[in-house]
Amino acid sequence: MSEQSTTPHGESSYRSLFDAFAEQKYNGVPLKSIPDTIKLIVSVINYLERSFNTRKGSVASNLEYGLPDFPNIHDKIPKDVKTYTEIIENCIRKFEPRITTGHVIGWGVDKGTLKLHCIIFIMLISGEKYKLKLTLQGLGNNTLEIVE
């Protein structure tokens, strides 16, 4: 499989699928420059972030993929925190096989922005353990970062 592109001189050229993947970046950093020791967690965070920013039902090949909309999320806290916890944990369990354990261990609201966030404990298939902070911002802008 290949992809056609145009050179600056208007000439047609083809890039292989491998070439397209080889140029991938994470947060603006080329993947090939990321140290091997952290490539797994970087890949997992990248994939989870994409999963958490995909609305459930929007992927035709898998209608269960992603998170549902959380309408009026601030109006239902802490009443629906248990439901949100189950949804996030199920998403991790269903769609990220490189995580052997994934649990939401706490919720909070960022004081300055009033955005809801949770702390997720994960253990990778390699045995590495991480705490991640998922900030629910809506509109496909949820963020995920390592906190410890």
Side-chain angles (χ1 to χ4, degrees):
M1 180 175 228
S2 62
E3 168 184 299
Q4 185 175 5
S5 62
T6 305
T7 67
H9 303 293
E11 302 162 339
S12 180
S13 67
Y14 287 89
R15 292 182 344 155
S16 71
L17 186 57
F18 174 79
D19 290 338
F21 283 131
E23 294 175 14
Q24 284 186 340
K25 295 181 179 184
Y26 176 71
N27 285 344
V29 178
L31 289 180
K32 62 184 173 186
S33 69
I34 295 175
D36 289 339
T37 55
I38 63 168
K39 279 186 178 174
L40 178 60
I41 188 60
V42 168
S43 176
V44 167
I45 289 172
N46 187 27
Y47 183 78
L48 284 177
E49 197 168 63
R50 289 173 192 260
S51 300
F52 294 151
N53 280 307
T54 301
R55 290 303 127 236
K56 187 175 183 177
S58 67
V59 177
S61 62
N62 188 345
L63 297 176
E64 291 299 310
Y65 181 78
L67 294 179
D69 283 328
F70 293 136
N72 303 319
I73 198 165
H74 297 295
D75 297 338
K76 298 181 178 185
I77 302 169
K79 182 179 148 187
D80 286 344
V81 166
K82 182 179 179 188
T83 301
Y84 299 153
T85 297
E86 290 171 359
I87 290 169
I88 290 167
E89 288 177 354
N90 284 335
C91 187
I92 293 169
R93 199 170 12 264
K94 282 182 180 178
F95 303 112
E96 184 45 89
R98 298 171 294 178
I99 295 177
T100 58
T101 302
H103 298 290
V104 174
I105 58 173
W107 286 89
V109 176
D110 291 325
K111 291 181 182 180
T113 62
L114 297 178
K115 293 176 181 168
L116 182 66
H117 70 264
C118 65
I119 303 299
I120 305 168
F121 168 81
I122 63 168
M123 185 166 68
L124 303 177
I125 56 173
S126 63
E128 297 170 274
K129 299 174 184 176
Y130 295 92
K131 286 184 183 174
L132 308 176
K133 179 180 178 182
L134 171 63
T135 303
L136 299 171
Q137 303 182 73
L139 304 174
N141 294 316
N142 300 325
T143 59
L144 190 64
E145 61 187 329
I146 297 175
V147 290
E148 289 183 15

